[in-house]
Amino acid sequence: MSSTLSHLECAKCGARHDADIEQHLCACGRPLLARYDLKRASVLLNAAVLVQRPMDLSRFRELLPIRDPKAAITLGERMTPVIRLSGGWYVKDEGSLPTGSFKARGAALGVARARELGAEDVALPSNGNAGTAWSAYAARAGLRAHIAIPAAAAENYAHECAEFGADVQIVDGTISEAGRLVGSWVAARGYYDASTLKEPYRIEGKKTLGFEIAEQFEWRVPDVIVYPTGGGVGLIGMHKAFEELHALRFIPNRMPRFVAVQSSGCAPIVHAFNQRQPVSTSWENAHTIAYGINVPKAIGDFLVLNILRQTGGTAVAIDDADIIAARRRTAINDGVLLCLEGAAAFAAAERLTKSSWICENESVLIVNTASGQTQV
Ligand SMILES: *Cc1c(COP(=O)(O)O)cnc(C)c1O
């Protein structure tokens, strides 16, 4: 047993929960975060140990929740590349992960841990990529996946989930309505609720994104990380990864400035950040071509807003037309085809450079959260 998982802690009220039984939200309604015995982890995990390990998701297994290493579920995930663009910025390109997006990180860990805790049916709402990733890993693990997909999301995602044998339901409305349907399944049929941040382990998978970035930047973090934000799990995950790596003395006590990027058609986090609100309000009539970030109200919004403020970060909304134009520019200038969400992040970095919020000599990392190939 190499995981040093010790307990779960409410992200809001701090209440402590048992990590070895199925858990979802805290009694106060907020997400739970996995906590580790960092002292023991720091004895078990160091640079000398790391060099002997494969470049896969289990590389930092002491800081991951799977109790039995044999319970891991893999579709051959490898550390994703960091590509330097001609302008000097870096792109962490997540498109090569199984099912074509960084949702694979959350699904690999989330499904494995759900199975380890005895789940047989996992249910979640999804705009697309989480649905395909959870469908694939559930198929791999022998679990049944039940996915609610908003009608507004791309139709081909529903077909892809069904190919993996998932039970797929198309829902009128956005991810919020799809989430309500999943809630009713969970209540009536006892499915394991795998909705964003309604179980504590998807974020642990997303943490591996932060582990990889720190290692690829030779144990310094970039000055600025620009992240297309929907539910915010990737951003919360990266921040948590850097905190834990610092506790283990892998990196100094310095966080990047995090930038949350949304579409102008659905920008609740940007609005709340600008209004200095601690939480967001649900965005009316949400619409954007960047499905992955079409989330009108995120349950972890307060965590994202905290991280933006604590790290001196910011939040930016980009028009769909500018997303498409930015995607074309990186394709032509650099041969890098970003996904629409990644292109939004790139456009945000351009805007922040123009306004001198980002300085010329700063290292800037743009997270390209999915393959550009699957979107037109
Ligand atoms: C899910 C998704 C996002 C947003 O991720 P969160 O962690 O929910 O903020 C961004 N881009 C793509 C392509 C996605 O699928």
Side-chain angles (χ1 to χ4, degrees):
M1 289 227 278
S2 46
S3 172
T4 65
L5 178 66
S6 60
H7 63 283
L8 302 172
E9 185 183 270
C10 176
K12 184 74 182 177
C13 74
R16 206 183 154 99
H17 298 263
D18 185 349
D20 285 301
I21 54 171
E22 183 178 328
Q23 299 277 10
H24 294 277
L25 295 175
C26 181
C28 78
R30 302 306 180 111
L32 301 176
L33 298 176
R35 295 299 181 204
Y36 297 84
D37 181 347
L38 295 174
K39 273 219 182 75
R40 197 156 68 83
S42 74
V43 175
L44 296 170
L45 186 58
N46 53 50
V49 170
L50 268 189
V51 293
Q52 298 172 25
R53 290 189 178 170
M55 299 286 200
D56 63 19
L57 293 193
S58 69
R59 202 164 160 72
F60 291 82
R61 61 194 70 139
E62 287 80 4
L63 296 174
L64 293 173
I66 312 295
R67 291 286 186 203
D68 177 2
K70 288 195 291 293
I73 295 161
T74 171
L75 286 166
E77 317 75 28
R78 308 293 294 174
M79 180 183 275
T80 61
V82 170
I83 304 165
R84 193 164 194 270
L85 300 180
S86 48
W89 294 339
Y90 298 92
V91 171
K92 175 74 170 161
D93 189 8
E94 297 283 277
S96 61
L97 286 165
T99 68
S101 86
F102 83 136
K103 294 294 196 299
R105 297 182 188 274
L109 269 287
V111 168
R113 190 69 184 138
R115 187 175 68 175
E116 202 171 39
L117 292 167
E120 290 173 358
D121 291 88
V122 295
L124 64 152
S126 168
N127 277 323
N129 287 325
T132 47
W134 280 75
S135 297
Y137 284 91
R140 185 88 178 160
L143 304 188
R144 282 177 299 272
H146 306 267
I147 319 282
I149 298 188
E155 204 176 297
N156 56 325
Y157 284 120
H159 292 302
E160 217 174 303
C161 295
E163 288 290 334
F164 288 117
D167 156 32
V168 181
Q169 188 87 38
I170 311 277
V171 181
D172 254 340
T174 67
I175 188 102
S176 300
E177 283 73 39
R180 273 195 276 283
L181 178 63
V182 167
S184 74
W185 292 344
V186 169
R189 307 179 198 166
Y191 297 163
Y192 182 94
D193 192 346
S195 312
T196 300
L197 288 171
K198 290 190 180 168
E199 55 74 50
Y201 302 113
R202 183 201 292 218
I203 178 177
E204 296 304 291
K206 295 265 181 104
K207 230 169 56 179
T208 58
L209 171 59
F211 292 154
E212 289 180 18
I213 291 169
E215 187 165 6
Q216 287 170 309
F217 280 76
E218 289 165 351
W219 309 117
R220 290 181 307 266
V221 292
D223 294 312
V224 178
I225 293 185
V226 191
Y227 179 77
T229 305
V233 187
L235 192 147
I236 302 164
M238 282 186 279
H239 184 264
K240 190 168 188 286
F242 297 150
E243 276 184 341
E244 291 170 1
L245 287 179
H246 170 62
L248 268 61
R249 299 285 177 264
F250 274 97
I251 58 172
N253 186 17
R254 198 182 65 86
M255 279 283 169
R257 283 157 30 234
F258 282 97
V259 180
V261 182
Q262 301 197 295
S263 160
S264 314
C266 181
I269 300 275
V270 178
H271 184 76
F273 181 82
N274 290 336
Q275 300 293 314
R276 299 188 167 77
Q277 300 295 319
V279 293
S280 64
T281 42
S282 184
W283 193 267
E284 299 289 323
N285 301 318
H287 63 89
T288 168
I289 52 169
Y291 301 119
I293 53 176
N294 195 2
V295 179
K297 168 74 184 171
I299 188 171
D301 55 1
F302 66 106
L303 294 171
V304 173
L305 289 162
N306 267 347
I307 290 169
L308 300 184
R309 291 181 178 123
Q310 277 170 17
T311 65
T314 190
V316 176
I318 301 291
D319 293 340
D320 281 0
D322 293 337
I323 293 178
I324 292 170
R327 185 169 186 262
R328 198 158 295 150
R329 275 198 297 286
T330 55
I332 288 172
N333 294 338
D334 293 288
V336 175
L337 190 66
L338 301 172
C339 64
L340 295 167
E341 296 80 1
F346 180 83
E350 287 183 317
R351 189 185 300 167
L352 292 171
T353 302
K354 226 175 247 163
S355 71
S356 300
W357 191 90
I358 292 175
C359 303
E360 226 172 79
N361 57 354
E362 289 188 303
S363 56
V364 176
L365 178 76
I366 291 151
V367 184
N368 187 47
T369 39
S371 163
Q373 236 102 45
T374 56
Q375 298 169 311
V376 186

